[in-house]
Amino acid sequence: MKKSNILQNHPFAKYLRQDRMPHIWCAGCGNGILINSFINALDELSIDLDKVVVVSGIGCIGRAAGYINVDSFHTTHGRAIAFATGVKLANPELKVVVISGDGDLFAIGGNHFIHAARRNVDIKVICANNFTYGMTGGQYSPTTPLESWTTTTPYGSIEHPFNLVHLAAASGAIYVARWTTLQVRRLKNSIKKSLQKEGFSFIEVISPCPTIYDRYNKLGTATDVMRLFKQISQVQHGYDPSKAVITKNQIMVGEFMDIEKPSYGRLLREMTIRVQEKLKGEESK
Amino acid sequence: MQKNRAVLQGTHFLSGDLACAEGALAAGCEFFGGYPITPATEIAERMAKRLPEIGGVYLQMEDEIASIAAVIGASFAGKKAMTATSGPGFSLMQENIGLAVMTEAPLVIVNIMRGGPSTGQPTMPSQQDVMQARWGSHGDYEIIALAPSSVQEMFDLTIESFNLAETYRVPVMLLADATIGHMWERVKIPPQEEIPLSWRKKPEVAPAKYKPFKPDENLVPPMACFGEGYRFHATGLTHNEEGAPATVSSEAQDRLVRRLCNKIRRNTKEIMKIEEIMLDDAEIVVLAYGITSRAALSAVRMVRKEGIKAGLLRLVTIWPFPTELVTQIAKKSRAIVVPEMNCGQLVREVERAAKTTPVLLLSKLGEEPHRPSEISSALRKAIK
C-alpha cells in the first residue's frame, strides 16, 4: 500500500493534518506516543473537534499543535499558557489544551504556569518532559537531573531540577498526574479525566530523547529507555507530590492530585451575573 | 428596554485614560488583558469595573508578556481585545507584538508614554517610545500608530484603533502620553448608531477550502476564529498560505514578510489621518503630534498675528509615516520645526522626507510639554 493510502486509511487519520507529515521528530522520540495518547483520549470521549484548541510553545513538542487537526496555535517561546488563558476566557465553550515541553513551560514560561494554576483557569497542560532542550541541540533545562550531561553541562549539571508535580500541586492545579511514555493506557486515561474536569490540570509525560539526552547520559537506545521506565516506574495514586522527586532509581507515577475547586471561568461568570443583576435593579428603579 | 451599557452616551468630564476605556467599549472591545502600570493604570481600573457590566472579560495577568499573549489568544477566540501599558510594559510586550504581526491578530495596544529609559519618570509625560512602536519587535514589519492630542481624541482614536486593527488584521498602537492620560476634559460621546465600527472579514469558503493566510485583493486574509469549524493552524514561524511552517523556503519568507509590510504600505492613504492647518500659504511649518500639537497650534496662531506665514501639519497617524505628503509640504516651505518630547525621534523621518528643506528639532524632556512660546520663538528664529 502506498504511504499516502496508509495515512488516509488509518482510523485516526482525521485527527492529524496529513499534509504536514512527515513530522520532524526523531525515531524513538516520545512525542508521538504523547500525541497518540491524546488522540485516543479525544476519540474515546467523542469530543467535538471543532471545539478543541491545541496551543503549544517552542521546542520539539511545540510542533504538536501544527500536526493535530483542530484549531491550533504555535506561540512564542514560553507563552502558550498565557495565550491559552486568553482563548479560554474569551470563549468558554472551547476545550483548551496546552501541549509543550519542560524548557518552554518551566524555564521561560514558568511564571505563566504557576499563575494559571493559581487562578485555576480551565486549561489542560500536558508537558513532554525529556529533561532537555531538544530543538536547540540538548542544553540543560529546569528538569535536567543533578549531575546529568548536556551540551551546556559538560562537567555534569550542578542545578537542582524542578519536581513538576509538586510545583503544579503547590500552585493550585486541581488535577496532577505523571506518567512515562511506557504507560500509554494510563496516560490516555489521565488525559480523558483532565478533559472532563473543570479547572487547571497538569499531566507530566516523561519522554525519551534517544538522539540527544539519552545518548549523552548513556541510557542506551529508545528501547533501552523504555525498559528503564519499566524498571524504575512505581505506580501509586495519591502519593505526596512533594516526595515524588525523580531519581536515577525511581520515577513515581500516578495521579497526585484530583480535587474540585471553582475554576476562574466559573467565578468570572458568577461575578458577571451578580454585576449585571445589580445594574438591572438600579436601572429599573 | 435594556440600556446599552457599552456606550456611555452623552457629554462627560473624563480623564484621557477613562476616555480611552470608554472608547474601547464603544468600539466593541470585550476583552482587556493587562498589568498595572503608571500612568496607564486607570484604563485597567475602568475596564475592570465596566467590562463585567457588559459581559466582557477583564483579566489582570502576571506581567505584560502574559497580558499581550492573552490578548492575542482572545482575538483569535473571536473577541475585540486590548491591553494598555507604559514604557516598561511596552518593552516587555515587544516579542509578542511580533507574534501578533506574524499571525495577523487584530488588537489594540495603548501606550501612555512616560519618561524613560528604564523605570525613568513614571508620572511624567514623554514621546520617547515613538521609534520603539515602529521598530520594537525583531524582524521586518509595518505598524499602525495613532497619536491623540486631547481627551476627546482618546475616545475617538481608541475606536479608530479598533477599526484599523480589524480592517488590516494588525496590532494597532495608540501612543498617548502621561499628560493626556491624566488630563481631564469634556468628552462628547455620540449615540451608538453614529459610531462606525469595523469587524474582521470572515471567510466565505467552506472549511476544507479555507487557507488562513491567503490574502484578499487588499492583502488582508479573511479571518476564521477558534471554534468556528475551520480548524486552522497559526504559527509565529514563517508560514505559507495554509498556515504550515515554511522555515527554509526563501520564497515563503519573501512572500509573507513583503505582504505583511505591503498591506500597510499600499493602504497608507486609507489609513493616514492628518490635520493641515493654515498650510496653504505657509512658509514655515510646524510638524507635531500628540499633546505637543496643541502648543504648536497656539504658536502658529501667535506668529501669524505678527505676519509670519506659519502653518501646522498635525499627524494623527504617525505610523505609517506620510512621507510623500511631508515631501510635498517641505518643497513649499523654508523650514520645518519639529517639537518632540524626546531627544529627536520622529524628526528623523521628517528629515528623510524633507530632503533639502531644513528641519529643526525642538527637543524637550521632563514634566512639561512644550509651551507655545517655545515653539513660537523657534518659528521666529527659523524664518530669519
Side-chain angles (χ1 to χ4, degrees):
Chain A
M1 206 186 283
K2 267 170 45 191
K3 197 171 154 194
S4 58
N5 289 344
I6 296 171
L7 279 174
Q8 274 156 22
N9 295 330
H10 193 279
F12 284 170
K14 67 171 178 175
Y15 292 100
L16 293 173
R17 291 194 173 98
Q18 298 188 22
D19 60 329
R20 310 287 153 92
M21 297 294 134
H23 58 70
I24 64 161
W25 297 323
C26 308
C29 170
N31 289 347
I33 297 174
L34 189 158
I35 299 303
N36 190 30
S37 304
F38 177 64
I39 287 172
N40 266 284
L42 291 178
D43 195 67
E44 288 183 18
L45 291 173
S46 307
I47 287 181
D48 180 358
L49 295 182
D50 286 345
K51 300 294 174 196
V52 177
V53 179
V54 172
V55 183
S56 66
I58 299 296
C60 297
I61 189 71
R63 294 300 187 92
Y67 298 145
I68 301 169
N69 191 19
V70 295
D71 284 327
S72 56
F73 200 97
H74 184 205
T75 68
T76 42
H77 197 17
R79 316 305 167 199
I81 288 177
F83 177 92
T85 300
V87 172
K88 179 65 192 178
L89 296 176
N91 186 352
E93 264 192 12
L94 303 170
K95 291 260 181 223
V96 183
V97 182
V98 171
I99 300 178
S100 215
D102 45 294
D104 183 81
L105 289 168
F106 294 99
I108 191 165
N111 202 28
H112 310 311
F113 180 87
I114 58 172
H115 285 279
R118 172 181 64 78
R119 291 186 189 102
N120 196 23
V121 183
D122 185 16
I123 58 177
K124 325 296 165 191
V125 178
I126 305 173
C127 172
N129 181 7
N130 61 2
F131 309 106
T132 196
Y133 288 90
M135 187 68 104
T136 44
Q139 298 73 37
Y140 72 99
S141 88
T143 59
T144 302
L146 206 58
E147 297 170 4
S148 289
W149 307 100
T150 71
T151 60
T152 46
T153 51
Y155 310 110
S157 175
I158 51 169
E159 288 197 15
H160 296 281
F162 269 138
N163 170 4
L164 299 181
V165 293
H166 182 35
L167 179 68
S171 304
I174 60 157
Y175 182 78
V176 179
R178 175 195 285 151
W179 302 105
T180 72
T181 49
L182 180 77
Q183 293 103 6
V184 280
R185 195 177 50 81
R186 287 166 155 136
L187 169 60
K188 174 207 67 187
N189 287 339
S190 266
I191 297 173
K192 275 171 73 176
K193 199 162 179 181
S194 77
L195 284 166
Q196 290 169 296
K197 284 177 75 81
E198 184 186 320
F200 188 89
S201 297
F202 175 63
I203 301 170
E204 177 182 5
V205 184
I206 306 295
S207 181
C209 175
T211 305
I212 307 174
Y213 182 81
D214 299 349
R215 188 161 54 87
Y216 282 144
N217 289 283
K218 301 195 165 40
L219 297 175
T221 63
T223 332
D224 293 334
V225 173
M226 289 299 241
R227 206 170 283 126
L228 177 71
F229 285 169
K230 193 175 179 195
Q231 282 161 8
I232 67 171
S233 293
Q234 201 177 323
V235 183
Q236 198 171 330
H237 292 301
Y239 190 76
D240 179 354
S242 72
K243 296 194 175 110
V245 175
I246 295 171
T247 66
K248 273 184 186 151
N249 307 316
Q250 191 181 59
I251 303 175
M252 291 303 299
V253 294
E255 284 177 356
F256 297 90
M257 186 71 101
D258 183 7
I259 58 167
E260 301 296 331
K261 191 164 60 174
S263 72
Y264 185 95
R266 179 176 295 267
L267 294 173
L268 176 68
R269 278 191 295 284
E270 287 171 3
M271 179 188 73
T272 303
I273 291 167
R274 278 200 310 275
V275 170
Q276 292 189 328
E277 276 175 358
K278 187 164 173 265
L279 267 185
K280 254 187 223 165
E282 284 167 8
E283 281 161 14
S284 62
K285 267 180 203 164
Chain B
M1 203 183 84
Q2 198 190 323
K3 203 175 139 192
N4 180 349
R5 300 190 187 114
V7 184
L8 182 77
Q9 295 184 0
T11 303
H12 298 266
F13 190 57
L14 295 174
S15 74
D17 281 353
L18 299 185
C20 171
E22 291 301 335
L25 294 165
C29 175
E30 293 181 282
F31 189 99
F32 182 98
Y35 188 84
I37 187 166
T38 305
T41 308
E42 292 88 337
I43 302 174
E45 289 174 340
R46 183 74 159 204
M47 291 304 253
K49 181 175 185 298
R50 290 277 279 127
L51 277 166
E53 297 179 357
I54 64 155
V57 179
Y58 169 82
L59 183 59
Q60 190 165 303
M61 293 300 277
E62 49 276 15
D63 56 32
E64 287 88 349
I65 302 174
S67 301
I68 179 115
V71 167
I72 300 171
S75 178
F76 270 96
K79 294 281 193 275
K80 284 189 180 179
M82 76 177 296
T83 186
T85 189
S86 190
F90 195 52
S91 292
L92 284 178
M93 288 180 187
Q94 293 304 323
E95 187 192 10
N96 276 341
I97 288 172
L99 179 67
V101 166
M102 196 65 151
T103 57
E104 303 182 64
L107 54 92
V108 173
I109 302 161
V110 179
N111 178 358
I112 311 293
M113 292 183 284
R114 66 190 222 184
S118 190
T119 316
Q121 294 192 312
T123 59
M124 303 288 184
S126 90
Q127 295 174 324
Q128 289 177 298
D129 305 343
V130 167
M131 280 296 168
Q132 188 186 21
R134 174 64 187 86
W135 299 106
S137 198
H138 58 276
D140 261 323
Y141 61 100
E142 289 279 340
I143 206 82
I144 299 177
L146 309 179
S149 67
S150 65
V151 176
Q152 179 69 51
E153 277 196 341
M154 284 297 278
F155 180 86
D156 297 339
L157 294 183
T158 301
I159 297 175
E160 179 71 11
S161 298
F162 273 98
N163 287 346
L164 290 166
E166 292 285 321
T167 305
Y168 297 103
R169 280 189 71 173
V170 283
V172 173
M173 296 171 187
L174 187 75
L175 290 182
D177 64 83
T179 306
I180 293 178
H182 283 163
M183 183 164 69
W184 288 72
E185 286 183 321
R186 190 173 65 164
V187 179
K188 268 193 191 170
I189 299 176
Q192 191 186 12
E193 57 277 10
E194 287 173 25
I195 301 173
L197 298 184
S198 307
W199 300 89
R200 59 197 72 170
K201 201 164 35 179
K202 304 304 291 182
E204 286 169 358
V205 295
K209 288 198 172 156
Y210 177 57
K211 293 183 179 180
F213 296 97
K214 184 172 191 270
D216 272 1
E217 60 289 343
N218 71 345
L219 301 182
V220 183
M223 184 175 182
C225 292
F226 295 155
E228 293 177 346
Y230 287 88
R231 296 195 201 169
F232 65 93
H233 179 64
T235 171
L237 288 169
T238 294
H239 46 270
N240 60 22
E241 290 184 342
E242 283 82 19
T247 52
V248 291
S249 156
S250 306
E251 191 263 334
Q253 172 75 354
D254 189 85
R255 201 159 150 187
L256 175 64
V257 178
R258 278 193 209 289
R259 179 174 66 74
L260 294 177
C261 289
N262 284 339
K263 76 175 176 180
I264 305 292
R265 286 182 186 170
R266 290 201 191 148
N267 292 307
T268 297
K269 281 200 177 122
E270 285 72 39
I271 296 166
M272 201 171 74
K273 218 173 162 171
I274 46 134
E275 224 184 328
E276 294 177 78
I277 301 166
M278 293 177 260
L279 280 183
D280 286 346
D281 61 342
E283 291 175 356
I284 184 152
V285 173
V286 187
L287 185 149
Y289 59 94
I291 185 75
T292 323
S293 59
R294 292 165 72 133
L297 179 60
S298 302
V300 165
R301 284 186 180 138
M302 228 184 266
V303 301
R304 276 265 169 186
K305 281 182 195 155
E306 299 162 17
I308 297 173
K309 287 183 179 167
L312 170 65
L313 174 62
R314 176 165 89 92
L315 303 189
V316 179
T317 316
I318 53 176
W319 303 117
F321 187 81
T323 308
E324 279 174 36
L325 178 86
V326 174
T327 303
Q328 283 165 21
I329 291 170
K331 263 187 207 161
K332 298 188 288 182
S333 319
R334 283 167 59 183
I336 301 180
V337 174
V338 183
E340 282 194 280
M341 293 166 71
N342 54 42
C343 294
Q345 294 198 12
L346 206 67
V347 71
R348 293 158 184 257
E349 290 294 308
V350 183
E351 283 165 350
R352 196 170 61 82
K355 300 193 193 299
T356 53
T357 308
V359 175
L360 303 154
L361 167 69
L362 203 54
S363 157
K364 195 167 182 183
L365 299 174
E367 182 180 1
E368 260 192 356
H370 295 71
R371 291 174 177 217
S373 57
E374 291 170 306
I375 301 173
S376 59
S377 11
L379 286 170
R380 284 185 206 107
K381 257 188 231 160
I383 202 80
K384 268 178 196 164

